[in-house]
Amino acid sequence: MLFRVNDLHVSYGNIRAVRGVSFEVDEGEIVTLIGANGAGKSTILNTIAGLLRPDAGEIVYNGVDLVPLDAHQVVQLGLALVPEGRRIFGNLTVYENLRLAGFQLGADELNKRIRRAFERFPRLEERRAQLGDTLSGGEQQMLAVARALVTGGKFMLLDEPSMGLAPILVQDIFEMLREINAQGTTVLLVEQNAHMALKIAARAYVLETGEIKLSGASTDLVRNPEVQKAYLGG
Amino acid sequence: MDATFIQQFFNALQLGSLYALIALGYTMVYGVLLLINFAHGDIFMFGAFMGVLGSWVFGWGFVPTLILSMLATALLGVTVERVAYKPLRAASRLSAVITALAVGLLLENGMLALTGADPRKYPDDFFATQVYQIGSVSISTVKLLVIILAFALFVALFLFVRRTKWGMAMRAISYDKFAVPLMGVSQDRIISLTFAIGTGLGAAAGILWGVAYPASLDTYMGMLVGWKAFIAAVVGGIGDIRGAVIGGMILGFVEIFVPYWGQGIGVSSTWRDPVAFALLLIILVIRPTGIFGVARRQKV
Ligand SMILES: Nc1ncnc2c1ncn2[C@@H]1O[C@H](COP(=O)(O)OP(=O)(O)O)[C@@H](O)[C@H]1O
Ligand SMILES: [Mg+2]
């Protein structure tokens, strides 16, 4: 097992946002965590990334316990989060965003990864000297993903990458995730857009008010009446 | 152009460079922490007094004393951040400001207790002054030293912030600190580095101040100068390093040229500070975020 979360509890003051969540991701998989707004999806991802400390529970990646690590240390293990709302640095150029994403890398590895990121996203290379603020929403999302590829590359966590994008761009982003996954990156995808997420993920977990309500193969969940009613508008 | 005008121009450049060096410390810290380090004027004083230590106590010349002062003051700056400000990062802005004021008082009075109330100056041979005569304009090597060294430091800082990954991290933190750790960057280290550079530049200003304006070294020297440099940073657009340089220069020029021109029309030089501050206020009324400042996005 590449990655495992066990009985995770996270709270903000006395708001208990995550209440005993457990799930697993195998090497090479795309797994999705779907849930409505406020279900606790971002809280889970931010806790995994080391931005929040859990009250209790285990987070194990490659046999390493992530709970005591700070966010910049988690990154060193090859795990990268594409945060909600993209959070690219608008006052830095496209190139500088990628350069910063490889902060811990040596020059050779850094250049190799940036080159690969530009090969994957030629649009970004054309805009390499442009400030992040001046990119379109779709380009910003590409940059956010490219940044995570440079930083980690082995296990990518994405927090609602489809948010705020036109449907056609959402298609692109999901297609690109499939490609990145095919090239060896394990993906944990958090989405409100259950439709698309269930299409590309092999397995899914359904999160409701901080607890996992359902889990299973995406093909089964798509047919589940509860899921259809709550998340697929059926 | 007449000779006194040119001489005043160099005086203004010198004073402006010094304000700019100090203003950089305010602006850099504000950029990464949104904290106004009200102790920075006293950090500047501390740097000047490290010069007293280097020159009088160790008998060192200008260059080693400058380096000693910058390093020792940077260490002080990093320590102050770790001990006094870091525990308050999540606290209200007001607690941090009050703490900064308290740190300033501690430095002023600590230095007073250590060194006494008599004003100090550096040894006469600390920086051997020569005066060059170019036509009817005379300019001292001290003035050239201050201006050239300050500009060298500005250029070095700009290159550092523009070109290196640490500089990129500083800019990134000032834009959105949430995502910075996700890049594998330790926020604490970038903050420490920012304090080290900002206070190191303040120390350089302290030494140069003591060279440029002899017998001006007392433990309260940082109060008024610190306030002025802070205002210069705000006028330039706090958080922006170009703004600190421009703001410092504007203040230096106003302070020199108001009495210079005022004299001609019979205005007393005591109007220097009121006119300078009024002008800065006007700039802020026209551009509330300062010359280079942008309204800050509120990010969670
Ligand atoms: N910084 C915060 N402070 C207090 N409560 C928060 C904070 N962030 C999220 N919450 C609360 O925690 C719960 C889960 O939020 P979140 O993880 O953002 O959900 P999701 O990403 O699924 O929309 C919500 O009830 C939300 O209001
Ligand atoms: Mg969310």
Side-chain angles (χ1 to χ4, degrees):
Chain A
M1 189 58 55
L2 180 72
F3 180 74
R4 177 165 56 85
V5 168
N6 191 23
D7 198 22
L8 188 70
H9 292 261
V10 192
S11 48
Y12 301 96
N14 47 24
I15 301 170
R16 295 178 56 223
V18 175
R19 314 162 184 205
V21 163
S22 304
F23 63 94
E24 298 173 340
V25 183
D26 246 329
E27 180 132 30
E29 273 192 306
I30 301 183
V31 171
T32 186
L33 204 60
I34 56 178
N37 195 12
K41 305 181 298 297
S42 298
T43 305
I44 292 174
L45 285 199
N46 291 344
T47 308
I48 295 170
L51 295 168
L52 297 172
R53 291 251 183 259
D55 300 333
E58 285 181 307
I59 306 171
V60 183
Y61 173 69
N62 251 337
V64 180
D65 179 12
L66 302 188
V67 172
L69 302 185
D70 286 332
H72 68 275
Q73 297 168 317
V74 170
V75 163
Q76 263 164 326
L77 304 173
L79 189 149
L81 169 65
V82 179
E84 182 174 293
R86 312 187 258 279
R87 297 292 184 118
I88 65 159
F89 300 110
N91 61 338
L92 268 53
T93 65
V94 167
Y95 177 80
E96 287 173 336
N97 267 279
L98 297 177
R99 172 75 193 79
L100 188 65
F103 193 84
Q104 294 177 338
L105 305 175
D108 289 347
E109 184 64 19
L110 174 78
N111 291 331
K112 198 171 87 190
R113 290 199 197 178
I114 292 183
R115 198 158 358 97
R116 254 191 283 155
F118 277 151
E119 276 162 21
R120 169 163 302 287
F121 303 106
R123 272 262 274 293
L124 293 181
E125 183 159 29
E126 289 162 25
R127 288 161 174 67
R128 59 181 287 151
Q130 216 170 300
L131 290 183
D133 266 342
T134 66
L135 299 178
S136 72
E139 288 161 357
Q140 290 193 350
Q141 188 64 65
M142 283 181 203
L143 180 54
V145 173
R147 213 169 53 167
L149 281 175
V150 171
T151 308
K154 282 188 269 181
F155 183 27
M156 193 182 291
L157 298 87
L158 298 103
D159 195 345
E160 301 203 41
S162 70
M163 191 198 263
L165 295 185
I168 178 86
L169 288 174
V170 174
Q171 294 259 358
D172 284 355
I173 291 284
F174 280 83
E175 187 48 44
M176 168 199 85
L177 284 183
R178 215 199 296 263
E179 281 171 31
I180 286 171
N181 173 251
Q183 292 184 356
T185 299
T186 305
V187 173
L188 175 61
L189 172 66
V190 151
E191 266 297 348
Q192 269 190 73
N193 187 340
H195 231 25
M196 296 297 295
L198 289 172
K199 252 187 220 165
I200 72 162
R203 293 191 305 112
Y205 294 85
V206 178
L207 192 70
E208 243 177 70
T209 52
E211 291 172 76
I212 303 270
K213 278 284 136 68
L214 286 167
S215 65
S218 298
T219 45
D220 294 339
L221 287 178
V222 170
R223 283 194 295 267
N224 182 310
E226 269 181 74
V227 174
Q228 288 191 339
K229 187 151 171 291
Y231 302 101
L232 300 172
Chain B
M1 246 183 291
D2 72 283
T4 39
F5 177 85
I6 296 176
Q7 253 152 260
Q8 295 295 358
F9 182 85
F10 277 100
N11 289 341
L13 216 48
Q14 167 175 269
L15 185 59
S17 301
L18 291 169
Y19 283 140
L21 278 177
I22 306 166
L24 282 168
Y26 285 102
T27 228
M28 290 179 71
V29 165
Y30 186 85
V32 298
L33 278 187
L34 298 186
L35 165 76
I36 294 167
N37 180 14
F38 280 119
H40 191 63
D42 301 302
I43 297 268
F44 155 78
M45 175 278 294
F46 182 88
F49 273 75
M50 284 295 106
V52 173
L53 179 72
S55 61
W56 285 110
V57 180
F58 299 161
W60 290 356
F62 175 76
V63 173
T65 300
L66 177 72
I67 293 170
L68 166 81
S69 168
M70 289 178 76
L71 291 178
T73 308
L75 188 65
L76 173 74
V78 170
T79 309
V80 164
E81 192 277 322
R82 277 291 146 101
V83 174
Y85 302 154
K86 192 176 169 200
L88 295 173
R89 265 188 222 160
S92 78
R93 209 73 74 76
L94 186 62
S95 340
V97 165
I98 291 169
T99 305
L101 289 168
V103 168
L105 287 173
L106 181 71
L107 289 175
E108 278 167 25
N109 295 299
M111 193 58 87
L112 182 68
L114 274 174
T115 65
D118 290 338
R120 310 268 173 163
K121 64 195 281 287
Y122 296 143
D124 291 335
D125 60 354
F126 184 55
F127 186 83
T129 310
Q130 272 186 339
V131 177
Y132 292 115
Q133 198 70 33
I134 307 162
S136 55
V137 179
S138 57
I139 178 160
S140 71
T141 43
V142 167
K143 229 158 268 171
L144 291 177
L145 168 81
V146 171
I147 295 166
I148 291 171
L149 191 60
F151 273 83
L153 289 170
F154 299 152
V155 170
L157 180 67
F158 286 134
L159 290 177
F160 181 82
V161 170
R162 282 284 131 202
R163 299 279 169 81
T164 70
K165 62 177 180 180
W166 295 281
M168 283 172 206
M170 286 177 185
R171 284 185 282 146
I173 288 185
S174 74
Y175 184 84
D176 178 11
K177 65 174 186 265
F178 170 89
V180 165
L182 298 176
M183 309 294 106
V185 180
S186 158
Q187 206 177 315
D188 288 346
R189 282 178 64 179
I190 300 301
I191 289 169
S192 292
L193 180 66
T194 306
F195 267 84
I197 295 175
T199 52
L201 293 174
I207 299 276
L208 291 175
W209 193 278
V211 173
Y213 310 112
S216 64
L217 306 180
D218 70 72
T219 52
Y220 296 110
M221 66 187 276
M223 287 171 63
L224 185 59
V225 174
W227 275 109
K228 287 180 174 177
F230 166 62
I231 292 168
V234 172
V235 164
I238 194 151
D240 189 292
I241 62 174
R242 294 164 304 174
V245 174
I246 298 296
M249 287 297 167
I250 291 176
L251 186 58
F253 274 81
V254 169
E255 286 202 351
I256 297 293
F257 278 97
V258 165
Y260 172 66
W261 282 324
Q263 206 179 26
I265 55 172
V267 177
S268 140
S269 69
T270 48
W271 280 93
R272 187 189 72 174
D273 285 355
V275 171
F277 289 123
L279 190 92
L280 300 177
L281 277 176
I282 290 169
I283 295 179
L284 285 181
V285 168
I286 297 168
R287 276 192 68 90
T289 56
I291 295 169
F292 284 103
V294 284
R296 197 163 269 277
R297 296 150 294 271
Q298 278 301 320
K299 290 225 163 119
V300 194

